[in-house]
Amino acid sequence: NIMMRGYCVAGEVEKGIGFFEEMERKGCLPNVVSYNTLMDAYFKKGRAEEAMSLFEGMKYRGMEPNLISYNVVINGLCREGRMEEASEMVKEMGWRRLKPDEVTYNTLVNGHCKGGNFHQALVLHAEMVKNGLSPNVVTYTSLINSMCKAGNLHRARELLDQMRVRGLRPNDRTYTTLIDGFCQKGLMNEAYRLLREMMDNGYKPSLVTYNALINGHCVMGRMEEALGVVREMEEKGLAPDVVSYSTIISGFCKDQNLDEAFRLKQEMGARDVSLDAVTYSTLINGLCQQNRLPEACNLFQEMIRLGLSPD
RNA sequence: GCUCAAUGGCGCAG
């Protein structure tokens, strides 16, 4: 199970399956944890149907799914936007006398948030309380993120206050969520105020936090500041990743400054940061916006040569 | 040993 998990989190699900099959062959039969691990990996790779048939398979073979099995399946269905089926699974849990826990509810709350149904997310939040479970920092971070994505920063702050009133402390992800919300709107002063609060509370800004700040400056067209954040993170020993670079490249493309955009592409190569399909799309789009179609085609071919599939 | 929340492009939807 440990080997399976190792390969699955590395994205090599096929190798994970190899261990699963080896267990069957050698008479060390996979248990519920093996099934849960593989199902989760399938869902996270977007291979929902294979995950579901594993789930059916385990039931057929008389292996009882546990609470975590259902949480995995519910999360998988939520990621696919299949909220109806996710609710059906909660009913199915009941037949097996399994009670949804905080993770189950957090998963459903987040699913409804991502699906844009904030109202239903609040309904689930209330139901969770009614069932004697306490919404935690994960629950609130989902709700806050939903409001940030909708641009309703006022409501996001209210939720932050509400969680504090209930004795919950925002963590680094909660702060990063809010910082991103303000950055998306270009409200950099607020974003930096939250960053300071985050640090005062003992949390170090993560790579994701820095990327959110970089994006905020790019949204405002303040490319010097965006590059300044990169320098700052490097001083702290954090290396910019493909997201940091793509964000800045996108900013330069919007600024019609393709020279700088391509300079950064080169820098990525020099620093051993691989471009992904999003980075290429950003650059291709930048070229197309300027009617530089032959160069766009060349980049398109370059990405295919590198084994990246266009989406 | 297994499950939940945060960051980048385009399109679609709003």
Side-chain angles (χ1 to χ4, degrees):
Chain A
N1 287 347
I2 294 169
M3 291 303 288
M4 266 181 54
R5 172 166 166 74
Y7 279 108
C8 287
V9 301
E12 302 190 52
V13 184
E14 298 306 333
K15 285 225 178 80
I17 296 167
F19 280 99
F20 189 90
E21 287 166 351
E22 187 177 327
M23 288 170 83
E24 289 178 313
R25 252 186 289 117
K26 303 213 170 149
C28 168
L29 294 184
N31 63 9
V32 64
V33 174
S34 330
Y35 277 95
N36 292 348
T37 304
L38 254 196
M39 289 194 298
D40 189 51
Y42 271 135
F43 275 123
K44 288 182 172 152
K45 275 256 162 184
R47 296 164 65 171
E49 289 326 308
E50 286 158 284
M52 289 306 285
S53 53
L54 254 187
F55 187 50
E56 293 309 321
M58 77 185 277
K59 289 188 281 192
Y60 179 77
R61 296 160 86 157
M63 176 154 319
E64 277 281 310
N66 63 14
L67 174 60
I68 294 180
S69 316
Y70 278 97
N71 286 344
V72 165
V73 171
I74 289 168
N75 188 34
L77 293 169
C78 286
R79 298 165 66 108
E80 295 256 303
R82 294 157 67 175
M83 297 309 297
E84 288 286 326
E85 290 163 86
S87 308
E88 285 302 311
M89 283 296 156
V90 178
K91 285 187 201 142
E92 193 180 308
M93 291 173 74
W95 306 339
R96 294 184 189 268
R97 312 248 168 264
L98 292 171
K99 285 241 161 291
D101 68 354
E102 286 87 349
V103 173
T104 320
Y105 277 105
N106 286 345
T107 303
L108 290 164
V109 165
N110 188 51
H112 285 299
C113 284
K114 292 272 157 66
N117 194 345
F118 189 66
H119 176 76
Q120 197 57 29
L122 290 180
V123 169
L124 267 294
H125 172 268
E127 190 181 308
M128 150 175 212
V129 175
K130 197 187 70 193
N131 289 340
L133 299 170
S134 306
N136 58 23
V137 61
V138 175
T139 326
Y140 277 100
T141 302
S142 283
L143 293 169
I144 289 171
N145 188 38
S146 180
M147 285 299 98
C148 286
K149 291 293 183 300
N152 194 343
L153 300 177
H154 183 74
R155 195 72 204 280
R157 269 205 208 277
E158 281 179 0
L159 285 162
L160 179 68
D161 292 339
Q162 191 185 116
M163 74 181 276
R164 283 182 167 132
V165 166
R166 306 208 171 154
L168 296 169
R169 296 172 52 78
N171 64 19
D172 52 341
R173 286 204 185 198
T174 318
Y175 279 113
T176 299
T177 303
L178 282 157
I179 289 169
D180 180 55
F182 284 98
C183 286
Q184 292 283 355
K185 291 212 146 185
L187 299 168
M188 298 312 287
N189 289 338
E190 278 310 304
Y192 277 99
R193 229 209 77 238
L194 281 160
L195 178 69
R196 212 173 48 223
E197 187 180 318
M198 168 177 181
M199 293 167 79
D200 287 347
N201 282 290
Y203 298 111
K204 284 196 188 317
S206 67
L207 178 60
V208 175
T209 317
Y210 282 114
N211 286 345
L213 291 166
I214 290 169
N215 186 46
H217 292 300
C218 290
V219 163
M220 298 308 285
R222 311 292 299 247
M223 298 312 295
E224 274 313 313
E225 274 93 335
L227 292 169
V229 174
V230 173
R231 251 172 268 127
E232 191 183 322
M233 61 195 279
E234 283 170 333
E235 278 162 20
K236 300 201 178 174
L238 266 182
D241 70 353
V242 60
V243 174
S244 328
Y245 278 110
S246 303
T247 305
I248 297 180
I249 288 174
S250 167
F252 279 124
C253 287
K254 280 186 199 129
D255 254 22
Q256 322 255 323
N257 190 346
L258 294 199
D259 289 348
E260 278 299 300
F262 279 97
R263 186 184 66 74
L264 282 151
K265 174 181 187 279
Q266 267 198 298
E267 190 176 311
M268 290 176 77
R271 302 236 192 137
D272 238 38
V273 179
S274 312
L275 312 225
D276 66 10
V278 172
T279 324
Y280 275 103
S281 302
T282 306
L283 286 163
I284 290 171
N285 185 46
L287 289 166
C288 288
Q289 295 288 335
Q290 300 197 9
N291 282 318
R292 293 162 64 170
L293 302 183
E295 291 160 277
C297 289
N298 287 341
L299 267 192
F300 184 66
Q301 269 151 14
E302 180 179 315
M303 91 180 252
I304 290 170
R305 241 184 295 120
L306 291 174
L308 296 170
S309 358
D311 62 6

